[in-house]
Amino acid sequence: DGGHDNRVNCVRWHQDNCCLYSCSEDKHIVEWNTQTCKVKCKWKGDNSSVTSLCISPDGKMLLSAGRTIKLWDLETKEVYRNFTGHATSVSSLMFTTVKPMNENKAFDGITGLYFLSGAIHDRLLSVWYVRSDRREKNAVMSFTVTDEPTFIDLTVSEVKEEPVKLAVVCRDGQLHLFEHILNGYCKKPLTSNCTIQIATPGNDEDSTPKPVPILAAAFCTDRQSLLLVYGNTLQPIIEKVSLNTSESHVCLIRDIQKALSLKTDVALTKVKTPVVNSDTKVLVPGIPGHSTAVKTPSSGKERKKNKRKPGETTESIEERLEALDIDVGKVKTPGGLPQTDSFAVLLVQGLESNDAEILNRVLNTRKESVIKNTVARMPIHAVIPLLHELTKRLQGNPYSASLMVRWLKSVFTLHASYLSTLPDLIPQLGMLYQLMESRVKTLQKLSRLHGRLFILVTQVAASETVQDATEVNQTAKLVYEDESSEEEGSDDEMIADKDSD
């Protein structure tokens, strides 16, 4: 009675006060009395649905996650801290420490603790730090994985020097192991120390190893071994595996043929392949405005003849173009260098063969439209090699760097969605990031020097213009002299003369 009005997303048990805490799609959090099975308290947790809950180590605080992550005081039901949160619904929320890193100050039960959060459709696990002030709202560090996390287990850090061990099972069936000492802010996302996968030995008919998905993982009490749950959900296999994080990638070979295998019936299709008579004529699509030859469908015997035997040479591309009635001479431009359509082809060829001459001809282009069209038409697999080539050329002279920045701008603008899907993007762009950062750091110093030099040059130019100015002739053009009267008049006359003067 008086509970939730919509689906319940998460339930947490409080050991000290024998209460249950639940959150729901109805935006509320409910505190249940387990003895009376009735609602003890109910309050609004967020402006949208509340998806996850977590109780603090001392039992006095409650973490809730909706659009934002909030830390509640369970006694007063007031918000103690607000955190930014994730763009999607938070699926996991847990504390990673039980004691603060700074042991000099008195511990209030919560300040100085770290907690972890993961969300659906998000390949970053965020770590948050609870401060005594209200300034820090963003995550202090993050762990990057290959897919959406489905199961998370960790060893809680009790001592400052003890690293947190984190096991993350992703939707793609891989397990990522992290080991990191929580010591404040970390700018770049941290990659896993070890990745574990499971595969079959490949002794079946096709002799191809098949991946076995990992469903869950948990640390044992010794913190040096893992319990792995893999296979299918109807009949999972549980196995204890000792940790060996010295290798960055571990593939365990397990034969699960004896386990229950799910068989699916092949769907029947009603689509029938039409029987083509040899007398029928098939129109082949051609260039608009040109007449296209009518070809008869080739029979099975002719198809066998078309197969190239060993030692035979195939027709060149030029011969095939001539057969299609396309003038080969029109493809190339008079200057010899192809235009935008062929620029992308040239660029890919230069990257694959590492031909400096081709790359120089393409990358030295200054036209913005040609650069944009070339980057837009290049295949996806050539984006990372192009970034490596641009990074290498950025380290050259400033003239070359100014050209490469134009290409970089187009690559990041047009292929941002592809680059964001790469799990190892950060190490791939590490050198480029350092180059940009070092140049940006010197920009302030250079701008100050430029300002001082500009002031000096303007002062020198102003002083030179003053010196070069022609001297004005100070001699009077007309001088008027008044004859002095020898006769001495009265004082009144003298005063009148002075006034008249």
Side-chain angles (χ1 to χ4, degrees):
D1 295 332
H4 295 290
D5 301 330
N6 209 326
R7 187 184 70 186
V8 175
N9 291 323
C10 184
V11 177
R12 288 287 179 261
W13 165 257
H14 199 299
Q15 295 182 353
D16 298 335
N17 59 10
C18 297
C19 287
L20 278 176
Y21 292 91
S22 61
C23 61
S24 169
E25 295 283 329
D26 63 3
K27 310 176 186 178
H28 285 79
I29 302 171
V30 173
E31 183 180 30
W32 299 85
N33 189 336
T34 54
Q35 295 178 351
T36 60
C37 299
K38 291 185 178 180
V39 175
K40 191 176 178 181
C41 183
K42 181 179 180 180
W43 70 96
K44 188 176 180 180
D46 209 308
N47 291 327
S48 62
S49 61
V50 186
T51 56
S52 187
L53 295 175
C54 179
I55 298 172
S56 65
D58 66 342
K60 295 181 180 179
M61 296 285 180
L62 178 73
L63 273 173
S64 72
R67 285 188 178 175
T68 60
I69 299 175
K70 295 180 180 180
L71 185 62
W72 301 87
D73 189 340
L74 284 178
E75 188 176 350
T76 61
K77 306 297 187 295
E78 294 180 354
V79 177
Y80 180 76
R81 289 290 175 272
N82 274 306
F83 301 93
T84 307
H86 294 260
T88 55
S89 301
V90 175
S91 57
S92 54
L93 204 60
M94 57 188 73
F95 279 90
T96 59
T97 54
V98 294
K99 292 181 180 178
M101 298 295 107
N102 188 1
E103 299 175 357
N104 299 327
K105 297 180 181 179
F107 183 38
D108 61 355
I110 191 68
T111 303
L113 298 190
Y114 291 86
F115 67 90
L116 177 86
S117 67
I120 62 172
H121 310 306
D122 194 346
R123 295 187 296 136
L124 285 179
L125 294 167
S126 300
V127 179
W128 313 83
Y129 184 56
V130 184
R131 294 180 181 270
S132 56
D133 52 12
R134 295 179 179 270
R135 289 181 299 173
E136 189 65 57
K137 288 187 177 182
N138 299 324
V140 293
M141 66 183 72
S142 57
F143 300 101
T144 178
V145 290
T146 53
D147 204 347
E148 174 189 330
T150 57
F151 193 91
I152 300 173
D153 190 46
L154 53 84
T155 62
V156 179
S157 175
E158 298 182 359
V159 190
K160 184 178 181 181
E161 292 79 13
E162 183 182 10
V164 171
K165 291 183 180 179
L166 184 67
V168 184
V169 179
C170 298
R171 192 171 291 279
D172 58 4
Q174 297 187 55
L175 169 64
H176 300 277
L177 296 175
F178 298 88
E179 192 171 336
H180 185 72
I181 298 175
L182 301 175
N183 53 1
Y185 184 74
C186 184
K187 191 173 185 180
K188 296 181 180 179
L190 302 169
T191 54
S192 59
N193 299 75
C194 180
T195 302
I196 298 177
Q197 288 179 290
I198 300 177
T200 58
N203 296 329
D204 50 355
E205 297 175 358
D206 56 358
S207 68
T208 304
K210 295 180 181 178
V212 179
I214 300 174
L215 305 174
F219 286 99
C220 298
T221 52
D222 59 355
R223 299 191 178 190
Q224 299 300 323
S225 55
L226 272 175
L227 279 178
L228 293 182
V229 182
Y230 58 90
N232 55 61
T233 53
L234 292 181
Q235 192 176 353
I237 301 170
I238 302 175
E239 182 183 345
K240 187 176 181 180
V241 180
S242 59
L243 292 178
N244 182 16
T245 55
S246 58
E247 298 182 22
S248 60
H249 191 91
V250 178
C251 185
L252 303 176
I253 306 300
R254 297 291 183 268
D255 190 3
I256 60 166
Q257 297 297 327
K258 298 177 182 178
L260 175 66
S261 59
L262 299 176
K263 293 182 179 179
T264 56
D265 295 333
V266 179
L268 296 175
T269 177
K270 295 182 179 179
V271 179
K272 293 183 179 181
T273 306
V275 179
V276 182
N277 191 2
S278 59
D279 297 333
T280 57
K281 294 182 179 181
V282 182
L283 289 176
V284 181
I287 304 170
H290 292 263
S291 59
T292 309
V294 178
K295 296 184 179 181
T296 56
S298 57
S299 61
K301 294 180 181 179
E302 290 177 350
R303 288 176 186 171
K304 290 182 180 178
K305 290 179 182 179
N306 288 338
K307 289 186 178 178
R308 185 164 55 92
K309 296 179 181 178
E312 283 185 0
T313 57
T314 57
E315 293 180 343
S316 65
I317 295 176
E318 190 170 353
E319 291 172 354
R320 293 180 186 179
L321 290 175
E322 288 175 356
L324 291 173
D325 197 19
I326 296 175
D327 190 2
V328 185
K330 293 180 181 177
V331 177
K332 296 182 180 179
T333 55
L337 187 64
Q339 293 304 311
T340 312
D341 293 335
S342 303
F343 250 61
V345 179
L346 263 183
L347 182 59
V348 174
Q349 288 177 352
L351 291 171
E352 289 179 352
S353 61
N354 201 14
D355 193 332
E357 185 179 353
I358 295 178
L359 290 173
N360 287 336
R361 292 172 70 185
V362 176
L363 295 177
N364 286 339
T365 308
R366 301 187 68 88
K367 290 184 178 179
E368 294 284 346
S369 58
V370 175
I371 293 173
K372 286 182 180 178
N373 291 331
T374 304
V375 173
R377 287 187 171 98
M378 67 184 295
I380 291 295
H381 64 81
V383 173
I384 291 296
L386 176 60
L387 282 178
H388 289 320
E389 180 66 27
L390 295 175
T391 305
K392 187 167 64 176
R393 289 171 178 260
L394 267 176
Q395 303 172 32
N397 56 30
Y399 175 77
S400 174
S402 65
L403 288 175
M404 296 311 110
V405 167
R406 299 185 179 192
W407 284 90
L408 277 173
K409 180 182 176 183
S410 295
V411 170
F412 287 137
T413 305
L414 297 169
H415 297 289
S417 57
Y418 164 69
L419 291 171
S420 63
T421 61
L422 299 177
D424 56 344
L425 180 64
I426 292 153
Q428 295 268 23
L429 300 181
M431 179 66 72
L432 182 62
Y433 180 81
Q434 291 176 1
L435 280 171
M436 293 294 186
E437 197 171 21
S438 62
R439 296 200 179 205
V440 169
K441 283 182 179 177
T442 56
L443 180 62
Q444 291 184 349
K445 297 178 182 178
L446 287 173
S447 61
R448 289 174 190 163
L449 180 62
H450 176 267
R452 291 171 183 172
L453 289 174
F454 179 75
I455 292 172
L456 285 173
V457 169
T458 50
Q459 286 180 349
V460 170
S463 63
E464 287 178 353
T465 53
V466 170
Q467 291 177 1
D468 293 343
T470 55
E471 294 183 0
V472 181
N473 190 7
Q474 299 294 333
T475 56
K477 291 183 178 180
L478 178 64
V479 178
Y480 175 74
E481 293 182 359
D482 189 10
E483 293 180 358
S484 60
S485 175
E486 293 180 356
E487 298 177 357
E488 293 182 359
S490 62
D491 293 341
D492 296 337
E493 290 177 353
M494 291 294 290
I495 292 170
D497 290 337
K498 286 179 182 179
D499 291 340
S500 64
D501 288 337

